[in-house]
Amino acid sequence: CKKCGNGKTEDTETCDDGLLVDGDGCSSSCAIESGYTCKNFPPDLTVPNSICKKCGNGKTEDTETCDDG
């Protein structure tokens, strides 16, 4: 069975961080939220399947060249 919130990005899901909460980049319906980018990783025991980051959080991450918050 496939399920949103199981930590695996499957079928039509664009992210699945294993949490069914909104506001963390990956919504409760397993869709990337506005303002976020989410990178999907192969299943791993130490990290969630999707890591979501937001421009404007004061941290320069991934492909950002700056982030002053």
Side-chain angles (χ1 to χ4, degrees):
C1 294
K2 296 176 181 176
K3 181 180 176 185
C4 177
N6 68 357
K8 298 176 185 177
T9 304
E10 304 168 303
D11 293 337
T12 59
E13 297 173 344
T14 55
C15 61
D16 192 329
D17 60 3
L19 303 171
L20 293 175
V21 296
D22 292 329
D24 65 352
C26 186
S27 74
S28 60
S29 60
C30 291
I32 297 172
E33 295 178 305
S34 178
Y36 284 86
T37 57
C38 300
K39 182 176 182 183
N40 294 317
F41 294 92
D44 185 296
L45 296 176
T46 60
V47 297
N49 182 254
S50 300
I51 302 293
C52 301
K53 300 186 178 182
K54 183 175 187 178
C55 179
N57 67 358
K59 300 175 188 174
T60 303
E61 304 168 310
D62 291 336
T63 59
E64 296 176 337
T65 56
C66 63
D67 193 328
D68 63 3

